[in-house]
Amino acid sequence: VVYKGRQVLMDRTVAIKMLQSQHIADSMSVKRFHQEGKAASKMNHPHVITVYDFGVTPTSGQPFIVMDYLLGTDLSQIIKQEGQLGVERSLKILAQSTDALDHAHRMGVIHRDLKPSNIMLIDYEDEKDYVKVVDFGVAKLISAGGEQQRLTQMDEVCGSPVYMSPEQIKSPKNVATKSDVYSLAVTFYHALTGKVPYDCNSYSDFEILSKIVHDDLDLSNVPSSWSALFSEMLIKDAAYR
């Protein structure tokens, strides 16, 4: 649950995200919530949501994260409203999202759930479509020594099926930065065409996962100027992506 709040001494409006009380007894939910705060707080980038504090309330023991209060619309809502985005607008949003993602990866954070609803578009000063990448709730942290902090069960798949990479489905515990690259490509396929690659109304989640692993994405309805980029970002084998 997210509350609008005010940091009194700084005179700053913030968002306060709290784990609902019924989930406090679930140690995995608590650890994931803490990991979200830890992942976001590692980053300092204009296109990544800023975390100011996280901790646990002294009375109820509820974990909380204090972060940017964003006034804007996420990319999924824009796509719903407008059907599809033009090439120029998509390129502007993609460039900012890529900058944010590059910074996250340099800081040892893999998002693992990139999709249009996690790309917020706000008005910043006189600039429209200013990107803030949000929701690191299933992020994976990599230490300086390369060790991955895993909070999932051995074979648990995390993320939103339509935007997931093949390796995220086949071996979720070994997901690396290139999985985010794949998800970003699918996100902007959706933005450019107005359609997700595999419609949830036409296929079950299992069928969608199977198609992601085995079928190549049809790029015939993507603007020709984007085909080469998408072809590289959507390679099934992450080693060649």
Side-chain angles (χ1 to χ4, degrees):
V1 60
V2 181
Y3 298 97
K4 179 181 179 181
R6 177 165 294 279
Q7 192 174 6
V8 178
L9 295 178
M10 298 294 291
D11 192 27
R12 176 167 55 197
T13 301
V14 296
I16 306 168
K17 184 175 183 178
M18 301 185 72
L19 187 65
Q20 293 179 335
S21 56
Q22 63 265 34
H23 296 299
I24 293 176
D26 181 357
S27 61
M28 188 64 70
S29 293
V30 173
K31 287 178 181 178
R32 281 183 182 163
F33 194 90
H34 281 195
Q35 179 134 313
E36 177 180 0
K38 186 176 180 180
S41 65
K42 283 171 68 71
M43 294 174 283
N44 180 20
H45 192 275
H47 296 301
V48 176
I49 191 167
T50 301
V51 165
Y52 302 114
D53 191 15
F54 70 100
V56 178
T57 60
T59 51
S60 62
Q62 285 178 267
F64 65 86
I65 303 172
V66 183
M67 61 183 74
D68 275 336
Y69 177 74
L70 301 178
L71 281 174
T73 307
D74 66 62
L75 183 57
S76 68
Q77 292 299 316
I78 298 293
I79 296 170
K80 285 180 182 178
Q81 293 166 9
E82 302 186 16
Q84 60 191 80
L85 278 64
V87 170
E88 185 176 346
R89 189 180 184 191
S90 295
L91 187 59
K92 177 184 178 181
I93 298 170
L94 175 62
Q96 296 175 78
S97 304
T98 304
D99 283 346
L101 192 59
D102 177 62
H103 175 74
H105 292 169
R106 289 174 185 270
M107 294 296 103
V109 179
I110 304 170
H111 193 290
R112 294 206 303 171
D113 195 20
L114 280 169
K115 54 188 176 183
S117 60
N118 286 336
I119 297 176
M120 287 290 296
L121 304 176
I122 65 173
D123 291 345
Y124 179 71
E125 295 181 346
D126 295 328
E127 184 177 352
K128 293 186 178 295
D129 288 341
Y130 192 88
V131 167
K132 289 282 188 178
V133 176
V134 303
D135 198 355
F136 289 82
V138 294
K140 177 177 284 187
L141 301 180
I142 303 174
S143 68
E147 180 182 353
Q148 298 180 354
Q149 295 185 21
R150 302 189 181 103
L151 291 182
T152 58
Q153 301 300 323
M154 185 62 71
D155 296 315
E156 184 179 358
V157 176
C158 286
S160 303
V162 171
Y163 304 95
M164 289 170 58
S165 67
E167 66 271 18
Q168 200 168 356
I169 297 164
K170 293 188 292 185
S171 184
K173 63 182 181 295
N174 293 323
V175 166
T177 56
K178 290 184 179 181
S179 181
D180 282 348
V181 173
Y182 186 98
S183 298
L184 191 65
V186 178
T187 292
F188 280 88
Y189 175 99
H190 188 183
L192 282 165
T193 65
K195 300 177 181 178
V196 292
Y198 309 110
D199 188 355
C200 297
N201 294 321
S202 303
Y203 302 101
S204 67
D205 281 356
F206 177 80
E207 289 172 322
I208 290 172
L209 297 180
S210 178
K211 285 181 175 296
I212 291 170
V213 171
H214 300 293
D215 298 353
D216 288 330
L217 194 58
D218 180 13
L219 298 179
S220 61
N221 56 347
V222 169
S224 57
S225 57
W226 288 66
S227 295
L229 177 64
F230 277 161
S231 295
E232 292 190 14
M233 293 176 74
L234 294 168
I235 292 173
K236 299 290 185 188
D237 187 343
Y240 299 98
R241 190 178 304 140

